[in-house]
Amino acid sequence: MTEQPADPRRRTWVAIACGAGAVGTVAAAVPFVATFQPSERARAAGAPVEVDVGALKPGEKITVEWRGRPVWIVRRTPEQLASLSKHDAQLADPKSQRNPDELTPEYARNEYRSRKPELFVAVGICSHLGCSPVDRFQPGPQPSLPDDWQGGFLCPCHGSTFDMAGRVYQNKPAPTNLEVPPYTYLSDTRLLIGEDKA
Ligand code: FES
């Protein structure tokens, strides 16, 4: 039986990674973007985080911190979006039906797992034991990935793989897709992470 974390929301993502080296690498590769600075007390209580995504180019990702967890924002390319319909048969939960109330807000229960197709927003914590997966956006054969890799994320700890919508592949340790946090658009270029007003 696949091991289930007791409560992934309560874990500190940097505390459960694959060693200090891995943490340092991740931190250097995906610096937090702080476009909005709630007070420390408000941040600890889970205040929403406002993010300007206007400069985010297709194929790029930024990471912000919300409730002590990394939240990824990826502007997917047309090719990455097209890839999402090609590998449902290889996914463990292609329709995001597992724990939908916890992992996939209603507005993200679609092929893209997002409010708008191009922007993917997800908590960057593996649903196995809490490591932070790394980007493997380039399709094709490469170490630790299958030859028909379509692009996505690789968890270096135990090899779980996720597609460009954070959906986990079959027969991997991670039991569920990556969590989509509550978020909303304040404008075409500004997101509010942590609130999901209509
Ligand atoms: S933490 Fe084990 S595969 Fe991600």
Side-chain angles (χ1 to χ4, degrees):
M1 184 176 151
T2 306
E3 188 176 357
Q4 295 267 4
D7 184 356
R9 289 172 183 275
R10 301 178 74 178
R11 261 195 314 262
T12 302
W13 71 282
V14 294
I16 307 176
C18 304
V23 173
T25 301
V26 170
V30 284
F32 283 166
V33 174
T35 57
F36 175 68
Q37 297 282 0
S39 71
E40 283 307 311
R41 182 183 293 179
R43 186 190 292 278
V49 178
E50 189 176 331
V51 188
D52 186 345
V53 295
L56 191 62
K57 295 186 175 63
E60 290 184 348
K61 183 184 93 174
I62 56 175
T63 302
V64 300
E65 183 179 4
W66 173 65
R67 293 189 174 177
R69 301 188 295 167
V71 173
W72 300 336
I73 303 167
V74 183
R75 189 178 295 281
R76 293 174 289 199
T77 65
E79 294 76 18
Q80 289 169 339
L81 290 172
S83 77
L84 295 177
S85 61
K86 295 178 181 168
H87 50 247
D88 275 16
Q90 301 172 40
L91 301 173
D93 183 18
K95 304 293 185 199
S96 296
Q97 293 171 327
R98 294 182 185 171
N99 308 345
D101 292 342
E102 182 184 337
L103 299 174
T104 313
E106 198 171 345
Y107 46 78
R109 291 176 200 164
N110 53 54
E111 179 180 357
Y112 307 108
R113 300 191 78 227
S114 57
R115 281 190 181 273
K116 295 184 181 180
E118 60 272 22
L119 277 192
F120 176 52
V121 181
V123 177
I125 295 181
C126 179
S127 56
H128 181 217
L129 294 177
C131 292
S132 193
V134 294
D135 305 345
R136 288 292 182 270
F137 294 171
Q138 182 68 37
Q142 53 203 290
S144 304
L145 294 170
D147 287 352
D148 61 350
W149 180 246
Q150 302 277 321
F153 306 92
L154 166 68
C155 185
C157 291
H158 312 96
S160 290
T161 46
F162 304 85
D163 74 356
M164 290 301 298
R167 297 177 297 179
V168 66
Y169 280 85
Q170 291 175 357
N171 305 315
K172 300 295 180 183
T176 63
N177 297 337
L178 299 180
E179 176 186 346
V180 175
Y183 70 97
T184 195
Y185 279 83
L186 299 175
S187 71
D188 282 348
T189 58
R190 297 190 78 79
L191 291 182
L192 189 65
I193 309 294
E195 270 188 33
D196 55 3
K197 295 180 256 184

